[in-house]
PDB file of all heavy atoms in Angstrom:
ATOM      1  N   ALA A   1     -57.913  60.826 -66.390  1.00  0.00           N
ATOM      2  CA  ALA A   1     -59.037  61.224 -67.245  1.00  0.00           C
ATOM      3  C   ALA A   1     -60.120  60.158 -67.176  1.00  0.00           C
ATOM      4  O   ALA A   1     -59.859  59.015 -66.812  1.00  0.00           O
ATOM      5  CB  ALA A   1     -58.576  61.404 -68.693  1.00  0.00           C
ATOM      6  N   VAL A   2     -61.336  60.574 -67.540  1.00  0.00           N
ATOM      7  CA  VAL A   2     -62.466  59.649 -67.641  1.00  0.00           C
ATOM      8  C   VAL A   2     -62.942  59.677 -69.089  1.00  0.00           C
ATOM      9  O   VAL A   2     -63.081  60.756 -69.676  1.00  0.00           O
ATOM     10  CB  VAL A   2     -63.629  60.051 -66.704  1.00  0.00           C
ATOM     11  CG1 VAL A   2     -64.827  59.132 -66.911  1.00  0.00           C
ATOM     12  CG2 VAL A   2     -63.189  60.039 -65.254  1.00  0.00           C
ATOM     13  N   VAL A   3     -63.176  58.505 -69.643  1.00  0.00           N
ATOM     14  CA  VAL A   3     -63.750  58.381 -70.983  1.00  0.00           C
ATOM     15  C   VAL A   3     -65.167  57.862 -70.806  1.00  0.00           C
ATOM     16  O   VAL A   3     -65.369  56.790 -70.233  1.00  0.00           O
ATOM     17  CB  VAL A   3     -62.936  57.420 -71.868  1.00  0.00           C
ATOM     18  CG1 VAL A   3     -63.591  57.271 -73.238  1.00  0.00           C
ATOM     19  CG2 VAL A   3     -61.500  57.889 -71.997  1.00  0.00           C
ATOM     20  N   VAL A   4     -66.153  58.628 -71.257  1.00  0.00           N
ATOM     21  CA  VAL A   4     -67.555  58.227 -71.160  1.00  0.00           C
ATOM     22  C   VAL A   4     -67.994  57.727 -72.527  1.00  0.00           C
ATOM     23  O   VAL A   4     -67.940  58.471 -73.511  1.00  0.00           O
ATOM     24  CB  VAL A   4     -68.450  59.389 -70.676  1.00  0.00           C
ATOM     25  CG1 VAL A   4     -69.913  58.988 -70.659  1.00  0.00           C
ATOM     26  CG2 VAL A   4     -68.007  59.856 -69.291  1.00  0.00           C
ATOM     27  N   THR A   5     -68.429  56.472 -72.587  1.00  0.00           N
ATOM     28  CA  THR A   5     -68.785  55.871 -73.867  1.00  0.00           C
ATOM     29  C   THR A   5     -70.157  56.309 -74.353  1.00  0.00           C
ATOM     30  O   THR A   5     -70.374  56.441 -75.548  1.00  0.00           O
ATOM     31  CB  THR A   5     -68.756  54.336 -73.792  1.00  0.00           C
ATOM     32  OG1 THR A   5     -69.693  53.884 -72.794  1.00  0.00           O
ATOM     33  CG2 THR A   5     -67.360  53.836 -73.476  1.00  0.00           C
ATOM     34  N   HIS A   6     -71.093  56.490 -73.429  1.00  0.00           N
ATOM     35  CA  HIS A   6     -72.416  56.983 -73.796  1.00  0.00           C
ATOM     36  C   HIS A   6     -73.116  57.523 -72.550  1.00  0.00           C
ATOM     37  O   HIS A   6     -72.628  57.350 -71.433  1.00  0.00           O
ATOM     38  CB  HIS A   6     -73.258  55.925 -74.513  1.00  0.00           C
ATOM     39  CG  HIS A   6     -73.546  54.700 -73.709  1.00  0.00           C
ATOM     40  ND1 HIS A   6     -72.620  53.699 -73.492  1.00  0.00           N
ATOM     41  CD2 HIS A   6     -74.666  54.309 -73.065  1.00  0.00           C
ATOM     42  CE1 HIS A   6     -73.164  52.747 -72.757  1.00  0.00           C
ATOM     43  NE2 HIS A   6     -74.408  53.094 -72.486  1.00  0.00           N
ATOM     44  N   ALA A   7     -74.245  58.192 -72.738  1.00  0.00           N
ATOM     45  CA  ALA A   7     -74.833  59.020 -71.697  1.00  0.00           C
ATOM     46  C   ALA A   7     -75.856  58.326 -70.806  1.00  0.00           C
ATOM     47  O   ALA A   7     -76.588  58.996 -70.101  1.00  0.00           O
ATOM     48  CB  ALA A   7     -75.473  60.262 -72.329  1.00  0.00           C
ATOM     49  N   HIS A   8     -75.903  57.006 -70.780  1.00  0.00           N
ATOM     50  CA  HIS A   8     -76.798  56.355 -69.821  1.00  0.00           C
ATOM     51  C   HIS A   8     -76.287  56.607 -68.410  1.00  0.00           C
ATOM     52  O   HIS A   8     -75.075  56.666 -68.171  1.00  0.00           O
ATOM     53  CB  HIS A   8     -76.862  54.847 -70.072  1.00  0.00           C
ATOM     54  CG  HIS A   8     -77.604  54.474 -71.301  1.00  0.00           C
ATOM     55  ND1 HIS A   8     -77.529  53.212 -71.843  1.00  0.00           N
ATOM     56  CD2 HIS A   8     -78.433  55.173 -72.101  1.00  0.00           C
ATOM     57  CE1 HIS A   8     -78.289  53.162 -72.929  1.00  0.00           C
ATOM     58  NE2 HIS A   8     -78.841  54.340 -73.105  1.00  0.00           N
ATOM     59  N   LEU A   9     -77.204  56.734 -67.447  1.00  0.00           N
ATOM     60  CA  LEU A   9     -76.843  57.028 -66.066  1.00  0.00           C
ATOM     61  C   LEU A   9     -75.905  55.977 -65.479  1.00  0.00           C
ATOM     62  O   LEU A   9     -75.023  56.297 -64.681  1.00  0.00           O
ATOM     63  CB  LEU A   9     -78.108  57.155 -65.210  1.00  0.00           C
ATOM     64  CG  LEU A   9     -77.936  57.799 -63.851  1.00  0.00           C
ATOM     65  CD1 LEU A   9     -77.423  59.225 -63.969  1.00  0.00           C
ATOM     66  CD2 LEU A   9     -79.242  57.773 -63.079  1.00  0.00           C
ATOM     67  N   ASP A  10     -76.055  54.730 -65.894  1.00  0.00           N
ATOM     68  CA  ASP A  10     -75.179  53.683 -65.369  1.00  0.00           C
ATOM     69  C   ASP A  10     -73.795  53.703 -66.032  1.00  0.00           C
ATOM     70  O   ASP A  10     -72.958  52.847 -65.757  1.00  0.00           O
ATOM     71  CB  ASP A  10     -75.832  52.302 -65.487  1.00  0.00           C
ATOM     72  CG  ASP A  10     -76.069  51.856 -66.911  1.00  0.00           C
ATOM     73  OD1 ASP A  10     -76.353  52.715 -67.773  1.00  0.00           O
ATOM     74  OD2 ASP A  10     -75.976  50.653 -67.167  1.00  0.00           O
ATOM     75  N   HIS A  11     -73.541  54.729 -66.868  1.00  0.00           N
ATOM     76  CA  HIS A  11     -72.222  54.923 -67.467  1.00  0.00           C
ATOM     77  C   HIS A  11     -71.632  56.303 -67.161  1.00  0.00           C
ATOM     78  O   HIS A  11     -70.428  56.503 -67.333  1.00  0.00           O
ATOM     79  CB  HIS A  11     -72.285  54.730 -68.983  1.00  0.00           C
ATOM     80  CG  HIS A  11     -72.458  53.303 -69.365  1.00  0.00           C
ATOM     81  ND1 HIS A  11     -71.421  52.510 -69.791  1.00  0.00           N
ATOM     82  CD2 HIS A  11     -73.559  52.500 -69.337  1.00  0.00           C
ATOM     83  CE1 HIS A  11     -71.870  51.293 -70.030  1.00  0.00           C
ATOM     84  NE2 HIS A  11     -73.163  51.264 -69.765  1.00  0.00           N
ATOM     85  N   CYS A  12     -72.463  57.260 -66.688  1.00  0.00           N
ATOM     86  CA  CYS A  12     -71.939  58.604 -66.397  1.00  0.00           C
ATOM     87  C   CYS A  12     -72.416  59.159 -65.048  1.00  0.00           C
ATOM     88  O   CYS A  12     -71.931  60.190 -64.593  1.00  0.00           O
ATOM     89  CB  CYS A  12     -72.310  59.582 -67.507  1.00  0.00           C
ATOM     90  SG  CYS A  12     -74.074  60.005 -67.596  1.00  0.00           S
ATOM     91  N   GLY A  13     -73.333  58.497 -64.375  1.00  0.00           N
ATOM     92  CA  GLY A  13     -73.972  59.047 -63.190  1.00  0.00           C
ATOM     93  C   GLY A  13     -73.109  59.178 -61.953  1.00  0.00           C
ATOM     94  O   GLY A  13     -73.448  59.910 -61.025  1.00  0.00           O
ATOM     95  N   TYR A  14     -71.963  58.487 -61.893  1.00  0.00           N
ATOM     96  CA  TYR A  14     -71.076  58.567 -60.732  1.00  0.00           C
ATOM     97  C   TYR A  14     -70.093  59.737 -60.846  1.00  0.00           C
ATOM     98  O   TYR A  14     -69.341  60.027 -59.919  1.00  0.00           O
ATOM     99  CB  TYR A  14     -70.319  57.241 -60.580  1.00  0.00           C
ATOM    100  CG  TYR A  14     -69.631  57.027 -59.254  1.00  0.00           C
ATOM    101  CD1 TYR A  14     -70.313  56.555 -58.144  1.00  0.00           C
ATOM    102  CD2 TYR A  14     -68.261  57.265 -59.114  1.00  0.00           C
ATOM    103  CE1 TYR A  14     -69.671  56.329 -56.936  1.00  0.00           C
ATOM    104  CE2 TYR A  14     -67.606  57.043 -57.915  1.00  0.00           C
ATOM    105  CZ  TYR A  14     -68.322  56.580 -56.823  1.00  0.00           C
ATOM    106  OH  TYR A  14     -67.675  56.357 -55.628  1.00  0.00           O
ATOM    107  N   LEU A  15     -70.101  60.445 -61.975  1.00  0.00           N
ATOM    108  CA  LEU A  15     -69.150  61.547 -62.180  1.00  0.00           C
ATOM    109  C   LEU A  15     -69.178  62.582 -61.056  1.00  0.00           C
ATOM    110  O   LEU A  15     -68.103  62.987 -60.579  1.00  0.00           O
ATOM    111  CB  LEU A  15     -69.382  62.214 -63.539  1.00  0.00           C
ATOM    112  CG  LEU A  15     -68.921  61.414 -64.750  1.00  0.00           C
ATOM    113  CD1 LEU A  15     -69.460  62.029 -66.038  1.00  0.00           C
ATOM    114  CD2 LEU A  15     -67.402  61.316 -64.791  1.00  0.00           C
ATOM    115  N   PRO A  16     -70.349  63.045 -60.591  1.00  0.00           N
ATOM    116  CA  PRO A  16     -70.328  64.015 -59.481  1.00  0.00           C
ATOM    117  C   PRO A  16     -69.655  63.463 -58.224  1.00  0.00           C
ATOM    118  O   PRO A  16     -68.925  64.195 -57.536  1.00  0.00           O
ATOM    119  CB  PRO A  16     -71.813  64.314 -59.233  1.00  0.00           C
ATOM    120  CG  PRO A  16     -72.475  64.021 -60.542  1.00  0.00           C
ATOM    121  CD  PRO A  16     -71.711  62.853 -61.108  1.00  0.00           C
ATOM    122  N   ARG A  17     -69.878  62.198 -57.902  1.00  0.00           N
ATOM    123  CA  ARG A  17     -69.226  61.585 -56.735  1.00  0.00           C
ATOM    124  C   ARG A  17     -67.717  61.506 -56.945  1.00  0.00           C
ATOM    125  O   ARG A  17     -66.934  61.735 -56.026  1.00  0.00           O
ATOM    126  CB  ARG A  17     -69.772  60.178 -56.478  1.00  0.00           C
ATOM    127  CG  ARG A  17     -71.189  60.128 -56.037  1.00  0.00           C
ATOM    128  CD  ARG A  17     -71.398  60.220 -54.552  1.00  0.00           C
ATOM    129  NE  ARG A  17     -70.671  59.188 -53.832  1.00  0.00           N
ATOM    130  CZ  ARG A  17     -70.182  59.363 -52.607  1.00  0.00           C
ATOM    131  NH1 ARG A  17     -70.360  60.488 -51.974  1.00  0.00           N
ATOM    132  NH2 ARG A  17     -69.535  58.400 -52.002  1.00  0.00           N
ATOM    133  N   LEU A  18     -67.294  61.176 -58.160  1.00  0.00           N
ATOM    134  CA  LEU A  18     -65.868  61.087 -58.465  1.00  0.00           C
ATOM    135  C   LEU A  18     -65.195  62.445 -58.251  1.00  0.00           C
ATOM    136  O   LEU A  18     -64.119  62.530 -57.658  1.00  0.00           O
ATOM    137  CB  LEU A  18     -65.663  60.598 -59.901  1.00  0.00           C
ATOM    138  CG  LEU A  18     -64.227  60.273 -60.283  1.00  0.00           C
ATOM    139  CD1 LEU A  18     -63.738  59.035 -59.540  1.00  0.00           C
ATOM    140  CD2 LEU A  18     -64.122  60.071 -61.783  1.00  0.00           C
ATOM    141  N   VAL A  19     -65.844  63.503 -58.704  1.00  0.00           N
ATOM    142  CA  VAL A  19     -65.311  64.857 -58.513  1.00  0.00           C
ATOM    143  C   VAL A  19     -65.267  65.187 -57.022  1.00  0.00           C
ATOM    144  O   VAL A  19     -64.276  65.728 -56.523  1.00  0.00           O
ATOM    145  CB  VAL A  19     -66.142  65.886 -59.306  1.00  0.00           C
ATOM    146  CG1 VAL A  19     -65.783  67.310 -58.916  1.00  0.00           C
ATOM    147  CG2 VAL A  19     -65.935  65.675 -60.805  1.00  0.00           C
ATOM    148  N   ARG A  20     -66.308  64.828 -56.302  1.00  0.00           N
ATOM    149  CA  ARG A  20     -66.322  65.085 -54.861  1.00  0.00           C
ATOM    150  C   ARG A  20     -65.193  64.347 -54.144  1.00  0.00           C
ATOM    151  O   ARG A  20     -64.685  64.812 -53.132  1.00  0.00           O
ATOM    152  CB  ARG A  20     -67.670  64.684 -54.280  1.00  0.00           C
ATOM    153  CG  ARG A  20     -67.823  65.112 -52.849  1.00  0.00           C
ATOM    154  CD  ARG A  20     -69.221  64.975 -52.378  1.00  0.00           C
ATOM    155  NE  ARG A  20     -69.346  65.691 -51.128  1.00  0.00           N
ATOM    156  CZ  ARG A  20     -70.463  65.875 -50.506  1.00  0.00           C
ATOM    157  NH1 ARG A  20     -71.585  65.420 -51.018  1.00  0.00           N
ATOM    158  NH2 ARG A  20     -70.501  66.515 -49.372  1.00  0.00           N
ATOM    159  N   GLN A  21     -64.782  63.210 -54.685  1.00  0.00           N
ATOM    160  CA  GLN A  21     -63.696  62.431 -54.092  1.00  0.00           C
ATOM    161  C   GLN A  21     -62.312  62.929 -54.522  1.00  0.00           C
ATOM    162  O   GLN A  21     -61.307  62.383 -54.084  1.00  0.00           O
ATOM    163  CB  GLN A  21     -63.842  60.954 -54.462  1.00  0.00           C
ATOM    164  CG  GLN A  21     -65.047  60.288 -53.836  1.00  0.00           C
ATOM    165  CD  GLN A  21     -65.234  58.869 -54.337  1.00  0.00           C
ATOM    166  OE1 GLN A  21     -64.283  58.138 -54.596  1.00  0.00           O
ATOM    167  NE2 GLN A  21     -66.485  58.465 -54.475  1.00  0.00           N
ATOM    168  N   GLY A  22     -62.252  63.945 -55.391  1.00  0.00           N
ATOM    169  CA  GLY A  22     -60.962  64.548 -55.734  1.00  0.00           C
ATOM    170  C   GLY A  22     -60.527  64.480 -57.179  1.00  0.00           C
ATOM    171  O   GLY A  22     -59.455  64.972 -57.524  1.00  0.00           O
ATOM    172  N   PHE A  23     -61.334  63.903 -58.056  1.00  0.00           N
ATOM    173  CA  PHE A  23     -60.969  63.854 -59.476  1.00  0.00           C
ATOM    174  C   PHE A  23     -60.994  65.262 -60.060  1.00  0.00           C
ATOM    175  O   PHE A  23     -61.941  66.021 -59.842  1.00  0.00           O
ATOM    176  CB  PHE A  23     -61.953  62.963 -60.250  1.00  0.00           C
ATOM    177  CG  PHE A  23     -61.759  63.029 -61.742  1.00  0.00           C
ATOM    178  CD1 PHE A  23     -60.669  62.417 -62.341  1.00  0.00           C
ATOM    179  CD2 PHE A  23     -62.658  63.699 -62.540  1.00  0.00           C
ATOM    180  CE1 PHE A  23     -60.475  62.480 -63.717  1.00  0.00           C
ATOM    181  CE2 PHE A  23     -62.489  63.767 -63.915  1.00  0.00           C
ATOM    182  CZ  PHE A  23     -61.392  63.154 -64.505  1.00  0.00           C
ATOM    183  N   ARG A  24     -59.935  65.637 -60.799  1.00  0.00           N
ATOM    184  CA  ARG A  24     -59.861  66.964 -61.415  1.00  0.00           C
ATOM    185  C   ARG A  24     -59.442  66.920 -62.876  1.00  0.00           C
ATOM    186  O   ARG A  24     -59.169  67.945 -63.476  1.00  0.00           O
ATOM    187  CB  ARG A  24     -58.875  67.849 -60.644  1.00  0.00           C
ATOM    188  CG  ARG A  24     -59.275  68.118 -59.204  1.00  0.00           C
ATOM    189  CD  ARG A  24     -60.560  68.935 -59.137  1.00  0.00           C
ATOM    190  NE  ARG A  24     -60.966  69.226 -57.787  1.00  0.00           N
ATOM    191  CZ  ARG A  24     -61.831  68.519 -57.071  1.00  0.00           C
ATOM    192  NH1 ARG A  24     -62.380  67.435 -57.585  1.00  0.00           N
ATOM    193  NH2 ARG A  24     -62.168  68.871 -55.846  1.00  0.00           N
ATOM    194  N   GLY A  25     -59.420  65.738 -63.477  1.00  0.00           N
ATOM    195  CA  GLY A  25     -58.968  65.598 -64.860  1.00  0.00           C
ATOM    196  C   GLY A  25     -60.079  65.852 -65.860  1.00  0.00           C
ATOM    197  O   GLY A  25     -61.223  66.154 -65.500  1.00  0.00           O
ATOM    198  N   PRO A  26     -59.763  65.708 -67.126  1.00  0.00           N
ATOM    199  CA  PRO A  26     -60.771  65.903 -68.172  1.00  0.00           C
ATOM    200  C   PRO A  26     -61.730  64.709 -68.256  1.00  0.00           C
ATOM    201  O   PRO A  26     -61.388  63.588 -67.896  1.00  0.00           O
ATOM    202  CB  PRO A  26     -59.943  66.016 -69.453  1.00  0.00           C
ATOM    203  CG  PRO A  26     -58.701  65.238 -69.155  1.00  0.00           C
ATOM    204  CD  PRO A  26     -58.437  65.431 -67.677  1.00  0.00           C
ATOM    205  N   ILE A  27     -62.929  65.000 -68.726  1.00  0.00           N
ATOM    206  CA  ILE A  27     -63.924  63.969 -69.029  1.00  0.00           C
ATOM    207  C   ILE A  27     -64.054  63.972 -70.543  1.00  0.00           C
ATOM    208  O   ILE A  27     -64.448  64.980 -71.135  1.00  0.00           O
ATOM    209  CB  ILE A  27     -65.262  64.264 -68.334  1.00  0.00           C
ATOM    210  CG1 ILE A  27     -65.064  64.282 -66.822  1.00  0.00           C
ATOM    211  CG2 ILE A  27     -66.317  63.242 -68.750  1.00  0.00           C
ATOM    212  CD1 ILE A  27     -66.224  64.848 -66.035  1.00  0.00           C
ATOM    213  N   LEU A  28     -63.695  62.862 -71.151  1.00  0.00           N
ATOM    214  CA  LEU A  28     -63.652  62.770 -72.606  1.00  0.00           C
ATOM    215  C   LEU A  28     -64.875  62.014 -73.117  1.00  0.00           C
ATOM    216  O   LEU A  28     -65.193  60.931 -72.627  1.00  0.00           O
ATOM    217  CB  LEU A  28     -62.372  62.047 -73.037  1.00  0.00           C
ATOM    218  CG  LEU A  28     -61.074  62.616 -72.438  1.00  0.00           C
ATOM    219  CD1 LEU A  28     -59.913  61.687 -72.723  1.00  0.00           C
ATOM    220  CD2 LEU A  28     -60.814  64.002 -72.961  1.00  0.00           C
ATOM    221  N   ALA A  29     -65.546  62.618 -74.084  1.00  0.00           N
ATOM    222  CA  ALA A  29     -66.731  62.017 -74.687  1.00  0.00           C
ATOM    223  C   ALA A  29     -66.981  62.724 -76.009  1.00  0.00           C
ATOM    224  O   ALA A  29     -66.478  63.821 -76.243  1.00  0.00           O
ATOM    225  CB  ALA A  29     -67.943  62.182 -73.771  1.00  0.00           C
ATOM    226  N   SER A  30     -67.788  62.107 -76.847  1.00  0.00           N
ATOM    227  CA  SER A  30     -68.181  62.807 -78.072  1.00  0.00           C
ATOM    228  C   SER A  30     -69.048  64.003 -77.687  1.00  0.00           C
ATOM    229  O   SER A  30     -69.601  64.066 -76.572  1.00  0.00           O
ATOM    230  CB  SER A  30     -68.958  61.871 -79.005  1.00  0.00           C
ATOM    231  OG  SER A  30     -70.248  61.614 -78.463  1.00  0.00           O
TER     232      SER A  30
END
């Protein structure tokens, strides 16, 4: 799983690349 602390690009912007590399778990955030 990925826990996103806040929505700045330097904290969430790599998510599409992570998915492209094979991540399939939940993304947890408020």
Side-chain angles (χ1 to χ4, degrees):
V2 176
V3 178
V4 177
T5 60
H6 62 283
H8 288 166
L9 195 61
D10 64 326
H11 288 260
C12 70
Y14 195 83
L15 286 168
R17 292 271 304 148
L18 188 69
V19 169
R20 189 168 193 173
Q21 292 174 35
F23 172 73
R24 297 295 181 265
I27 299 168
L28 308 170
S30 71

